[in-house]
Amino acid sequence: MSETAAEALSAPILPYSRIVGQDELKLALELNFIAPAIGGVLIAGQRGTAKSTVVRAFALMTGGCLPVTLPINATDDRVLGGWELDALMHGRARRQPGLLEEAHEKGLLYVDEVNLLDDHIVNIILDVVSTGVLSVQREGIDTEAHVSFGLVGTMNPEEGSLRAQLLDRFGLMVTAAELDIEERHRMITTVLAFEEERLVADSAWLREAEDDNRRLRDALVTARERLTAVRLDPDISRLCAEAAARTGAVGQRGDLLVAKAARALAAREGAPAVARAHVRRVVPLALRHRRPDSVHGPEPAWGQEEESVLDELFG
C-alpha cells in the first residue's frame, strides 16, 4: 500500500466514495479538479450539512492529504509568507512560506466561512487563483512564483453574505443539500460502519472504499488530461451565452464559466464534444451566484423561475 493510500485510510474522515448524497456539491468539486481554470467552488449551506467533510474527503481522495486550511484571522504574513520570527531573533533572515505556497504543494486551499474573512485577504487569494502568479513585495521580500491549486470556500448565508464582487469571482457555487429520510438513514449506517471499521486491522470495508476512491481519482485525472481535446462547437458556445443572458446573469464572466464547466463535464463523461445536456446540467452551478439578488438569505437566488427558463431554452 502506498504512503498516500495509507494516510487516506488512517484519516478520521469518511472516504469520499462513501459520502451519502450531495451529488451536486461533489460534481462541482470534480469539475473544478478537471478544469482548474474554473477558479474555485463556493459551497453555501447551513451548519451540519457536511460541507467540511465533503471537502476534506475530496482532498484526501485526490491528493492523499487534508487541504491547507485558511483560518478566519489569517494575516498577510500567513497567507503570502514572511520572515521566520525565530530566525530574525537570532540575527538570521529566513523566509517562511505562506499558506498559498503550501496549497500549491498540497493541491487544495480550503477557506471555511469565507464570508467572515477580511475582503482584502479574499481578494489576494482570488487574484492568485485567477492569474496563477504569487507575487510578494513587502518588508524586504521581492519574489514571484507560479502556483496552482484548487480553491474551495464554504459559508453559511445566515451568518452574512459575500460581497457581489467577490462572489462573482468564484467559478462555481453550490448549496449543500439537506438529505431526505432515506439518505439520512444511509448516512447513519455508513458513518457508524466507518467508525467501527477504522478500529479493525486491515479492514476490507476501508480497502474497498479506498479502491473506489482510487478508481474515481484515476478517472478524474484522465478527464483532466483529455480536457483540451473536447470540442466546443459554435452552436454550443452560443447556447452558453444565451443561457447566461436568459437567466439574468450579471456581466460576462458567467458565460465563460458555463462553457468551461460544460467542457469539464464532457471530459468527465468521456464525450468527444460538449453537448446541450452538459450545458444544461452546469448552468445553475456557474450562474446562480451571478444574479443581481444572489445570496441574501439561506439559499442562493435560483428557483423555479430560472429552471423554467432553462426548460424552455433546452427543450
Side-chain angles (χ1 to χ4, degrees), residues 39 63 117 163 209:
L117 199 65
R163 285 199 302 113

Side-chain angles (χ1 to χ4, degrees), residues 3 18 105-106 182 184 224 241 247 265 277 286:
E3 182 178 345
R18 295 300 180 266
E105 294 176 0
K106 292 193 173 184
E182 180 58 33
R184 285 172 181 256
R224 185 163 62 181
T247 55
L265 179 57

Side-chain angles (χ1 to χ4, degrees), residues 41-300:
V41 177
L42 179 61
I43 306 170
Q46 299 179 352
R47 62 185 183 279
T49 49
K51 300 185 297 295
S52 297
T53 296
V54 177
V55 174
R56 292 184 173 111
F58 182 77
L60 283 169
M61 186 267 292
T62 53
C65 58
L66 291 172
V68 174
T69 301
L70 188 78
I72 292 178
N73 60 351
T75 62
D76 287 17
D77 276 349
R78 191 69 188 95
V79 174
L80 296 172
W83 300 112
E84 287 188 9
L85 294 181
D86 288 344
L88 287 176
M89 292 175 62
H90 291 85
R92 299 190 303 273
R94 188 164 59 209
R95 187 170 179 272
Q96 177 175 307
L99 290 173
L100 299 186
E101 289 169 276
E102 292 180 27
H104 174 69
E105 294 176 0
K106 292 193 173 184
L108 185 65
L109 178 68
Y110 174 45
V111 185
D112 194 14
E113 299 185 9
V114 65
N115 51 322
L116 303 182
L117 199 65
D118 184 274
D119 284 355
H120 168 65
I121 297 295
V122 178
N123 262 321
I124 290 174
I125 296 169
L126 292 172
D127 280 341
V128 173
V129 170
S130 63
T131 64
V133 176
L134 174 61
S135 179
V136 183
Q137 297 177 350
R138 55 195 305 272
E139 298 173 351
I141 300 175
D142 187 358
T143 64
E144 185 173 288
H146 291 278
V147 296
S148 175
F149 53 85
L151 172 65
V152 179
T154 59
M155 60 179 284
N156 182 349
E158 293 183 333
E159 297 175 350
S161 60
L162 198 62
R163 285 199 302 113
Q165 294 91 331
L166 299 178
L167 194 63
D168 179 60
R169 294 182 63 186
F170 277 91
L172 306 177
M173 182 178 184
V174 63
T175 297
E178 292 283 353
L179 305 184
D180 61 28
I181 293 177
E182 180 58 33
E183 290 172 326
R184 285 172 181 256
H185 179 224
R186 286 172 50 211
M187 180 273 294
I188 292 171
T189 56
T190 301
V191 171
L192 290 178
F194 171 64
E195 291 176 350
E196 293 171 1
E197 293 295 332
R198 286 189 59 238
L199 304 177
V200 177
D202 195 26
S203 164
W205 191 95
L206 287 176
R207 280 190 282 107
E208 183 180 357
E210 176 57 26
D211 286 343
D212 289 342
N213 273 0
R214 177 179 48 77
R215 281 190 286 270
L216 177 55
R217 183 187 185 282
D218 289 347
L220 294 178
V221 170
T222 298
R224 185 163 62 181
E225 291 172 346
R226 67 180 303 273
L227 178 66
T228 57
V230 176
R231 296 196 323 275
L232 182 70
D233 294 330
D235 60 322
I236 296 298
S237 60
R238 181 179 180 81
L239 185 62
C240 296
E242 190 171 356
R246 292 280 298 275
T247 55
V250 176
Q252 284 73 58
R253 195 191 303 269
D255 307 47
L256 185 58
L257 265 299
V258 171
K260 289 181 177 180
R263 198 178 197 186
L265 179 57
R268 179 177 176 267
E269 296 183 353
V274 179
R276 293 174 61 88
H278 298 134
V279 179
R280 174 64 178 87
R281 189 172 182 189
V282 304
V283 163
L285 297 176
L287 299 182
R288 59 161 46 99
H289 54 307
R290 294 189 163 86
R291 292 171 47 79
D293 51 354
S294 292
V295 194
H296 287 301
E299 297 293 336

Side-chain angles (χ1 to χ4, degrees), residues 14-19 26 29-30 54 57-58 61 213 216:
L14 186 69
Y16 184 77
S17 60
R18 295 300 180 266
I19 289 175
K26 290 188 283 190
L29 293 174
E30 291 168 19
V54 177
F58 182 77
M61 186 267 292
N213 273 0
L216 177 55

